[in-house]
Amino acid sequence: MLVSPAMNAALREARFDGDAPLDRAGERSARAAASALPKAGPVLSGPSERCLGTAAALGLTATPEPALTGWDLGRWSGRRLDEVGAAEPSAVAAWLGDPSAAPHGGESLRELVERVGRWLDGTVGGEAPGGSTEVPGGGGASGSTKVPSRTETSSDAQVPGGTETSSDAQVPGGTETSGGAQVPGGRETPDSTERLGGVLGPGGGSLLAVAEPAVVRSAVVHALALPLEAFWRLDVAPLALTELSGRAGRWNVRLGRPLTASRDS
């Protein structure tokens, strides 16, 4: 299970997040959502202050996982979206149009999705997540390594935190990717113990990770073998639960259920 973090000031300012912590409103929202969390086994978190702060506010004791580091956007980190668009319009156009482009000097979309996909596939069957996964900045990831977190944006010039693209996002072929998500071919995602769920820790129980929206979107793109361009069409709101189940090469996805106090755990 993947939980997107609460809001912070950088997202409210439409700024590429340079690892800013939660603001008071975001912390309050996370605390209010704590009772809606489903039961889980191992708990991981992206190493950003935003993810770790969300985990703490949710009442979770989370282990930082470098493989869940947010999108490394290089020299754009900490800058406003409109500022970057005005200063480097051709670079932004290339970044949005080419999944292999990294004009900011950080991580391309292709590299991000591949990194998250390696982590996701490595969680199946109780294997330790992370391990030798490459993360931005070079070197192998380990549980003790903290890699600076970056953030994400969308082709609709939305908040750099990447929390929204559209409320009714669809992927090529018309397959719906929001609400009651369906997998390619229109088959409804099973609502059973196979739901992620299918990712178990060594002691049993579903693995839960607090991860940046770009990481969640990348996991969905990888899990459903979607075109990389579909990344920009996926909507990940703050404090939303995305559930994956299955195994490498055959994942099912249930997207974006908001964590609210009224939800049954």
Side-chain angles (χ1 to χ4, degrees), residues 43-191:
V43 178
L44 303 177
S45 173
S48 69
E49 288 193 57
R50 181 185 178 205
C51 285
L52 291 170
T54 296
L58 288 169
L60 301 172
T61 301
T63 301
E65 173 51 66
L68 297 177
T69 297
W71 196 352
D72 177 4
L73 294 178
R75 67 174 183 274
W76 293 353
S77 179
R79 300 174 65 186
R80 290 181 59 91
L81 176 61
D82 55 359
E83 174 191 346
V84 173
E88 305 180 56
S90 60
V92 172
W95 175 60
L96 295 173
D98 180 1
S100 297
H104 42 63
E107 191 176 26
S108 70
L109 175 58
R110 185 179 304 278
E111 290 169 334
L112 171 66
V113 173
E114 289 175 351
R115 165 166 64 85
V116 174
R118 287 193 297 270
W119 172 82
L120 180 63
D121 290 345
T123 63
V124 181
E127 297 176 20
S132 60
T133 303
E134 292 293 323
V135 293
S142 67
S144 62
T145 303
K146 186 175 187 299
V147 182
S149 173
R150 309 297 184 188
T151 54
E152 51 281 342
T153 186
S154 74
S155 58
D156 290 328
Q158 294 177 357
V159 176
T163 56
E164 296 100 34
T165 52
S166 70
S167 60
D168 202 7
Q170 292 191 342
V171 295
T175 302
E176 188 119 345
T177 62
S178 62
Q182 293 187 340
V183 295
R187 182 172 61 82
E188 190 83 25
T189 304
D191 188 9

